[in-house]
């Protein structure tokens, strides 16, 4: 899907995975889901920090909300919606999809949808798997998403990684033909080609840890060579350097805590320098095939 220019600058896609600091996969070996409710939550404060930053720059994005959070903090979900952003689904329990059976995945997704939609009173159209965990081993999940009424997905990362990744997957937005005859739009996060390999572009720890010069280079490639929107993603906890420290193995701590103090400044730079919109806005203003028309029909009955 080609970027559509409505201003002098291309419009990229801005997304936020709304989860608390203790939900991340890096700490799954140390923190049980049964303990979540007993830990000091920081998701409301950190998410409002993101919302304020977006307001400052007039930016709109898509917030993929964990259902557990929507169920416990429905006012936060309503606030995200009221401040003009798209709500989407990030599972209920933040479990890797390839660790679930199809039945477990369907139940988890339905529970998350119910929590988000009940909180905001809107229809959710988009899904992103925890830890990019829709891989070649569980493409059946896309069939289930289509059956459950989703229009688009952003879960397949075309890279090599120790926890996720489908290196041979398509790198840019496309329509995925599901095995059940349905279709979904698929929005991969940004990657670039270096020495014949796909390398992450502008999201999460890669955005927070890699040099800013690298991120600028990624945007130049997408704007001038690929002519595609950069799909940016990050988490509210990445703007929260005061969060509690979890005792974990060194690699997990390095991934999670490196440059938390500099993330707000880095995002501020991106929002000042580039133009962004939500997945929903990108889809509605890029009518490329029948599934787009169906999305518009659902959103504007």
């Amino acid at each position: 899907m080609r970027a559509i220019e409505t201003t002098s600058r291309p419009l990229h896609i801005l997304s936020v995975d709304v989860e608390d600091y203790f939900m991340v996969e890096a700490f799954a070996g140390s923190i049980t889901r049964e303990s979540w409710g007993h830990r000091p939550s920081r998701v409301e404060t950190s998410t409002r920090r993101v919302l304020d930053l977006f307001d400052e720059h007039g930016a709109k994005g898509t917030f993929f909300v964990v259902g557990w959070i929507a169920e416990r903090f429905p006012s936060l979900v309503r606030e995200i919606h009221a401040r003009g952003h798209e709500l989407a689904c990030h599972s209920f329990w933040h479990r890797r999809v390839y660790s679930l059976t199809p039945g477990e995945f369907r139940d988890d997704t339905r529970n998350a949808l119910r929590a988000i939609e009940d909180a905001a009173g809107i229809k959710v159209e988009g899904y992103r798997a925890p830890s990019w965990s829709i891989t070649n081993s569980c493409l059946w999940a896309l069939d289930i998403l289509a059956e459950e009424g989703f229009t688009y997905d952003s879960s397949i990362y075309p890279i090599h990684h120790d926890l996720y990744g489908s290196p041979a997957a398509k790198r840019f937005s496309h329509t995925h033909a599901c095995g059940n005859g349905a279709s979904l739009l698929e929005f991969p996060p940004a990657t670039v080609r270096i020495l014949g390999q796909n390398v992450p572009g502008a999201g999460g720890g890669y955005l927070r840890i890699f040099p800013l010069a690298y991120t600028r280079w990624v945007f130049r490639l997408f704007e001038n060579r690929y002519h595609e929107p950069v799909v940016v993603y990050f988490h509210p906890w990445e703007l929260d350097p005061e969060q509690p420290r979890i005792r974990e193995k060194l690699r997990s701590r390095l991934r999670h805590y490196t440059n938390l103090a500099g993330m707000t400044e880095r995002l501020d730079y991106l929002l000042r320098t580039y133009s962004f919109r939500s997945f929903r806005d990108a889809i509605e203003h890029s009518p490329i095939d029948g599934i787009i028309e169906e999305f518009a029909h659902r959103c504007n009955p």
Side-chain angles (χ1 to χ4, degrees), residues 198-214:
N198 295 341
V199 179
Y206 311 111
L207 172 61
R208 174 166 41 90
I209 298 171
F210 285 12
L212 184 57
Y214 172 81

Side-chain angles (χ1 to χ4, degrees), residues 110-132:
R110 286 179 173 176
N111 289 336
L113 273 178
R114 186 178 305 113
I116 299 165
E117 293 180 347
D118 285 354
I122 52 92
K123 178 74 172 71
V124 167
E125 299 284 346
Y127 182 87
R128 176 173 287 162
S131 304
W132 308 102

Side-chain angles (χ1 to χ4, degrees), residues 215-233:
T215 302
R216 291 197 298 262
W217 175 68
V218 170
F219 274 85
R220 286 198 301 271
L221 280 180
F222 271 76
E223 293 183 348
N224 300 326
R225 181 185 299 180
Y226 302 151
H227 304 292
E228 295 279 350
V230 177
V231 175
V232 173
Y233 72 92

Side-chain angles (χ1 to χ4, degrees), residues 57-79:
H57 294 280
K60 300 300 180 187
T62 299
F63 286 66
F64 292 90
V65 181
V66 170
W68 188 92
I69 288 174
E71 190 172 83
R72 284 157 179 77
F73 305 102
S75 62
L76 178 63
V77 178
R78 289 191 289 272
E79 182 174 352

Side-chain angles (χ1 to χ4, degrees), residues 24-74:
V24 301
E25 190 61 37
F27 300 149
S30 302
I31 297 177
T32 65
R33 290 176 178 83
E34 291 75 18
S35 72
W36 285 3
H38 305 292
R39 294 183 177 273
S41 174
R42 298 177 66 85
V43 71
E44 290 182 294
T45 300
S46 58
T47 302
R48 289 193 176 104
R49 185 175 296 135
V50 173
L51 290 169
D52 291 344
L53 186 62
F54 285 8
D55 283 352
E56 181 181 342
H57 294 280
K60 300 300 180 187
T62 299
F63 286 66
F64 292 90
V65 181
V66 170
W68 188 92
I69 288 174
E71 190 172 83
R72 284 157 179 77
F73 305 102

Side-chain angles (χ1 to χ4, degrees), residues 180-193:
N180 56 7
S183 296
L184 281 175
L185 283 176
E186 182 64 39
F187 289 88
T191 58
V192 294
R193 296 285 289 175

Side-chain angles (χ1 to χ4, degrees), residues 233-252:
Y233 72 92
F234 65 95
H235 312 82
W237 56 259
E238 292 185 275
L239 280 71
D240 181 18
E242 290 81 30
Q243 64 189 265
R245 268 22 184 195
I246 306 297
R247 293 184 177 273
E248 250 294 350
K249 55 189 176 183
L250 178 62
R251 182 173 64 175
S252 295

